[in-house]
Amino acid sequence: MVREKIAFVNQKGGVGKTTTAVSLAAALGRQGDSVLLIDLDPQANATSAAGIGEVVGPSIYEALMMEVEVGECVVRVEDEQFDVLPATRELSGAEVELASAMAREQRLKTVCEPLSAKYDWIFIDSPPSLGILSVNALTAATSVVIPVQCEYLSMEGLARLMETLALVRVNLNPVLRTLGLVLTMLDQRTRLAREVAADVRTHFPDQTFNTVIPRSVSIAEAPSYGQSIFRYSPESRAAIAYRRLATELTERVGVSA
Ligand code: ADP
Ligand code: MG
């Protein structure tokens, strides 16, 4: 049985959604959990970061359009020990095609149902918008993790995201809970970064994960080699931080389940 289906969301781009989803998938996969990473962003960054250079079989797009059975789209990433439901650029068409579809918000949840029994964790990487794809991620998920970049804080942006989560709970997915906010890209040397981190903790005291992800050159480089941080630079500070975040995530899921 799936323990948790987590959507990584924030309508702001470049905050660390993909990096966090891929790194946690790799951390938990390496410790022996079965993990599926669903790439729900037409930019397909999670797919390439997982080491899938070219998607040869069907992708999440074909699964959402119900052209193929979802299991046929799953790709095993042996080096990282997790599975991926890859995306391609074609996925951008789904925004338009789903717009007029029946039960459009539930499409991902419906098509992924056959996979639920196979995994301990299903992670959904979502695009930088609050459009129909992100709403599908929030409807299919049991919880959300919100990466927040320490270099720049938009409290209005976070407030809008919280409103969207509340709307999704009322209308589509009452069980959706917020597991927490993850502070990413912290550069301890800059005052702004430390202030942003402190502000987030003040506004979301119980919801902010203790683990903070430091700014790291290694983790910015790893995706271009199609490797997780644990292959690319296993002893780096970012690898240590993401390992610790995986432990904290497991504890939170257990505690609040
Ligand atoms: P999002 O999915 O929210 O758009 P990404 O995870 O793709 O964000 O991160 C945006 C960019 O920042 C990417 O180039 C990524 O490699 C880089 N990045 C992510 N986390 C870190 C970090 N801790 N330190 C340095 N660079 C990072
Ligand atoms: Mg991304």
Side-chain angles (χ1 to χ4, degrees):
M1 254 314 271
V2 77
R3 243 196 292 176
E4 201 72 28
K5 296 183 200 175
I6 303 177
F8 293 80
V9 290
N10 190 330
Q11 72 273 29
K12 188 172 174 344
V15 298
K17 290 182 288 297
T18 301
T19 306
T20 301
V22 172
S23 302
L24 288 174
L28 293 164
R30 271 155 196 267
Q31 76 179 39
D33 290 6
S34 58
V35 186
L36 172 68
L37 174 63
I38 300 177
D39 191 351
L40 203 63
D41 183 353
Q43 292 178 55
N45 292 333
T47 301
S48 55
I52 302 170
E54 193 192 348
V55 181
V56 285
S59 68
I60 182 78
Y61 174 77
E62 282 86 353
L64 285 174
M65 293 302 123
M66 300 195 287
E67 291 167 10
V68 296
E69 206 272 306
V70 70
E72 291 172 45
C73 307
V74 174
V75 179
R76 177 77 183 165
V77 184
E78 279 306 336
D79 290 329
E80 306 287 1
Q81 296 162 48
F82 62 85
D83 289 359
V84 181
L85 194 43
T88 63
R89 289 251 158 217
E90 241 188 331
L91 182 58
S92 58
E95 290 268 1
V96 180
E97 283 158 61
L98 282 178
S100 58
M102 185 81 91
R104 58 191 174 174
E105 295 94 351
Q106 268 97 349
R107 186 63 70 86
L108 180 70
K109 184 184 170 118
T110 307
V111 302
C112 289
E113 200 48 54
L115 298 173
S116 283
K118 289 183 60 179
Y119 295 98
D120 297 322
W121 304 90
I122 295 181
F123 289 170
I124 310 169
D125 185 28
S126 51
S129 69
L130 293 175
I132 188 73
L133 285 174
S134 288
V135 170
N136 263 269
L138 295 172
T139 305
T142 48
S143 58
V144 284
V145 166
I146 304 166
V148 179
Q149 187 189 11
C150 290
E151 282 154 30
Y152 171 88
L153 182 63
S154 163
M155 267 304 163
E156 298 91 290
L158 275 182
R160 239 187 94 213
L161 177 55
M162 297 302 173
E163 277 166 32
T164 302
L165 295 179
L167 280 172
V168 167
R169 275 186 201 109
V170 170
N171 294 292
L172 296 160
N173 187 6
V175 303
L176 185 71
R177 60 189 172 139
T178 303
L179 276 179
L181 290 81
V182 182
L183 295 164
T184 65
M185 300 184 218
L186 179 74
D187 184 344
Q188 276 291 1
R189 292 164 306 180
T190 73
R191 199 172 124 204
L192 175 66
R194 293 196 309 267
E195 281 174 4
V196 167
D199 272 4
V200 171
R201 287 198 191 283
T202 305
H203 279 88
F204 305 98
D206 302 326
Q207 288 179 307
T208 310
F209 284 96
N210 295 324
T211 309
V212 178
I213 309 302
R215 175 155 275 284
S216 143
V217 175
S218 315
I219 206 154
E221 286 171 351
S224 48
Y225 296 89
Q227 297 184 2
S228 77
I229 190 65
F230 306 108
R231 270 180 80 204
Y232 186 71
S233 186
E235 303 309 326
S236 61
R237 284 169 61 234
I240 293 164
Y242 272 118
R243 237 180 255 123
R244 197 175 295 145
L245 183 65
T247 304
E248 207 184 331
L249 183 77
T250 306
E251 286 166 3
R252 276 203 186 196
V253 166
V255 166
S256 46

